[in-house]
Amino acid sequence: MYNVRQIAEDTYYIGVTDNRIHLFENIHPLPEGVTYNSYVILDEKTAVMDSVDWNFARQYFENIDHVLNGRELDYVVINHLEPDHASSLGEIMLRYPNATVVMSEKGANFARNFGFDVDSHNLLTVKEGDTLSLGKHTLTFLEAPMVHWPEVIVTLDLHTGVLYSADAFGTFGKLDGRLFDDEVDFEGEFLDHARRYFTNIVGKYGKPTMNLLAKAGPLLDKIKMFAPLHGPVWRTNLQYYIDKHVKWASYEPEEEGVLIVYGSMYGNTEEVAYLMANELAKRGVTKMKMYDASKTHHSYIIADAFKYSHMLVASVTYNLTLYPPVKTLLEDMHMLNLQNRKVALVENGSWSPQSGKVMTEMFGKMKNMEILNGEYTHFTSSLNEEKLVEIMNLVDVIAKSLGK
Ligand code: FEO
């Protein structure tokens, strides 16, 4: 049965909810699902904007059929070829053989590589500034390479002011029947999802995202709505969401606070992490979040690494190098381009300790990561009175750096 909703004049949401998926991109846990958003514009000509994951094709085509109500489909605009959105394109071409597929030239190449025979179909490749008239609604296209793939375009409907923003302004999380930003408690329900989505999926591409935001800036008076490919449609306070993306994309922290991560085999490093957290709280540092790197998927820790200004990483040595869960996390941080943070390091090792050296090298490869106190603090196996003094000194340095 169809499940659609009007979002603007002649414009309908036809997306679907995936509450069965465990891992987004087969990596990132999705305990609260995700939506794949798609939209239809009904004018003299009809257009579908993007599609959905193939697993949800049945619901999706029921939605399209309901909105078209017997009309032909004239255009399908594919802003982004990643299969969570574009994998139903083949079925769209089969069901609507007269529809013209609209995408960037790179998108057409990607479509061919994914096995969609766009060349024996009507194909219209578009570039920056091109327009397409549907009647009252004129679509204009902006190139948005690397937000999140190189072929990405975003599409602005100049009549309604709806910006079909592809992955930009998207978020993990299901909507439970609601659709617009003002129908959900965004800060309470979605901000953590949105941060984890952006930082892990698009975070590496901060500069391209900033380029798109700069490009969209002069059009802001024309943009009334963000219609992304995941999560709520934004129709109020667009600037709030833009500001969040500016922080994330420019690698600036949202809050002065500290992310504490530890890697611990038998609890001794964990004990030190708790001691330091306790001492930081006593000094007034209460904006903090602590994770056991072995327990929590790195995507959650990455999101808080983007959120907070400071990081304390305490890790045991393992096989003469860094404990693997912490190593994976720091590799991910490097890959995602995280930068501009203040970092405190604690090393544990029972013999031939190496974790401090490896962590120092790994943070050294990231941009503008300041190691507080100049070097890591070491203890051997478990904390003793002598090393307690050094740990307390590091706590003081972190607190002072946070103005406490
Ligand atoms: Fe939601 Fe990059 O696809």
Side-chain angles (χ1 to χ4, degrees):
M1 182 52 73
Y2 66 86
N3 195 338
V4 305
R5 188 159 171 195
Q6 186 164 9
I7 65 163
E9 185 184 343
D10 310 324
T11 308
Y12 298 83
Y13 176 85
I14 53 165
V16 298
T17 301
D18 187 349
N19 199 25
R20 297 188 172 184
I21 187 172
H22 289 287
L23 297 174
F24 190 76
E25 296 180 342
N26 215 9
I27 300 176
H28 309 285
L30 282 182
E32 293 184 61
V34 69
T35 65
Y36 310 117
N37 299 348
S38 176
Y39 308 86
V40 178
I41 303 168
L42 299 179
D43 199 345
E44 289 166 28
K45 300 286 186 186
T46 61
V48 161
M49 311 302 293
D50 291 293
S51 75
V52 303
D53 188 286
W54 173 245
N55 289 318
F56 295 85
R58 189 174 76 170
Q59 168 83 72
Y60 181 59
F61 285 104
E62 284 174 359
N63 291 351
I64 295 183
D65 287 348
H66 176 74
V67 176
L68 288 179
N69 194 21
R71 289 188 63 182
E72 278 283 316
L73 179 62
D74 297 299
Y75 296 102
V76 53
V77 178
I78 299 291
N79 289 295
H80 182 20
L81 260 292
E82 192 166 7
D84 54 336
H85 311 291
S87 57
S88 297
L89 175 60
E91 185 70 16
I92 292 179
M93 293 194 298
L94 276 176
R95 289 182 184 228
Y96 304 103
N98 298 321
T100 297
V101 177
V102 182
M103 51 179 53
S104 66
E105 186 64 54
K106 268 205 180 87
N109 284 335
F110 280 30
R112 292 175 192 114
N113 292 340
F114 276 112
F116 300 122
D117 189 9
V118 288
D119 296 306
S120 37
H121 213 82
N122 300 323
L123 172 66
L124 173 65
T125 58
V126 291
K127 56 185 185 326
E128 180 95 7
D130 284 356
T131 58
L132 174 65
S133 173
L134 305 177
K136 276 186 299 185
H137 299 253
T138 298
L139 306 181
T140 184
F141 305 99
L142 294 178
E143 292 172 358
M146 300 318 299
V147 186
H148 137 234
W149 279 14
E151 87 297 358
V152 172
I153 54 173
V154 299
T155 302
L156 176 62
D157 180 338
L158 293 168
H159 182 67
T160 56
V162 177
L163 178 70
Y164 300 93
S165 59
D167 276 343
F169 305 117
T171 174
F172 293 145
K174 59 192 171 59
L175 293 163
D176 298 343
R178 301 154 306 169
L179 181 57
F180 296 102
D181 64 297
D182 53 290
E183 295 177 333
V184 300
D185 170 9
F186 188 80
E187 291 223 324
E189 294 178 79
F190 280 94
L191 181 55
D192 288 347
H193 286 315
R195 185 186 300 107
R196 190 163 70 92
Y197 169 80
F198 182 88
T199 58
N200 286 278
I201 307 302
V202 193
K204 180 177 180 62
Y205 310 112
K207 194 159 188 301
T209 303
M210 292 298 284
N211 291 344
L212 174 62
L213 292 172
K215 207 187 302 190
L219 296 170
L220 266 186
D221 59 326
K222 295 189 175 66
I223 299 173
K224 304 281 180 282
M225 219 177 256
F226 294 147
L229 289 175
H230 303 285
V233 172
W234 279 76
R235 65 180 176 187
T236 63
N237 204 358
L238 305 188
Q239 195 59 48
Y240 164 86
Y241 210 26
I242 292 172
D243 291 346
K244 287 289 179 198
H245 282 78
V246 167
K247 289 271 187 206
W248 299 330
S250 58
Y251 308 103
E252 293 302 325
E254 286 168 79
E255 291 186 13
E256 288 288 304
V258 58
L259 162 70
I260 302 174
V261 189
Y262 60 86
S264 184
M265 292 165 65
Y266 295 103
N268 291 294
T269 310
E270 181 178 46
E271 210 168 70
V272 171
Y274 270 93
L275 172 73
M276 294 179 78
N278 184 9
E279 290 297 328
L280 282 167
K282 284 186 202 166
R283 286 158 178 74
V285 178
T286 50
K287 286 194 173 174
M288 62 180 159
K289 181 83 182 174
M290 183 155 62
Y291 292 101
D292 178 344
S294 302
K295 287 277 168 60
T296 303
H297 189 270
H298 54 81
S299 62
Y300 293 89
I301 308 175
I302 288 289
D304 275 331
F306 273 71
K307 178 178 178 180
Y308 290 116
S309 57
H310 288 59
M311 212 182 304
L312 162 60
V313 188
S315 182
V316 69
T317 299
Y318 193 85
N319 278 341
L320 303 181
T321 184
L322 182 58
Y323 190 52
V326 179
K327 195 170 189 187
T328 300
L329 173 68
L330 298 196
E331 282 168 352
D332 212 35
M333 242 175 236
H334 183 211
M335 184 181 73
L336 292 170
N337 252 334
L338 183 66
Q339 46 197 278
N340 309 325
R341 296 297 185 275
K342 293 183 167 51
V343 182
L345 299 175
V346 175
E347 168 188 87
N348 186 8
S350 298
W351 80 96
S352 300
Q354 288 292 320
S355 60
K357 177 170 167 279
V358 177
M359 286 193 288
T360 305
E361 286 168 0
M362 293 180 85
F363 277 108
K365 287 180 187 159
M366 302 180 212
K367 284 185 202 149
N368 195 24
M369 294 297 212
E370 180 188 338
I371 305 293
L372 292 172
N373 228 8
E375 59 178 358
Y376 60 86
T377 300
H378 167 83
F379 69 95
T380 303
S381 299
S382 67
L383 199 59
N384 59 24
E385 288 299 326
E386 183 195 334
K387 288 293 176 182
L388 176 62
V389 175
E390 291 179 29
I391 289 292
M392 288 301 186
N393 176 48
L394 185 58
V395 168
D396 286 335
V397 170
I398 300 168
K400 196 169 168 207
S401 169
L402 282 160
K404 304 291 181 185

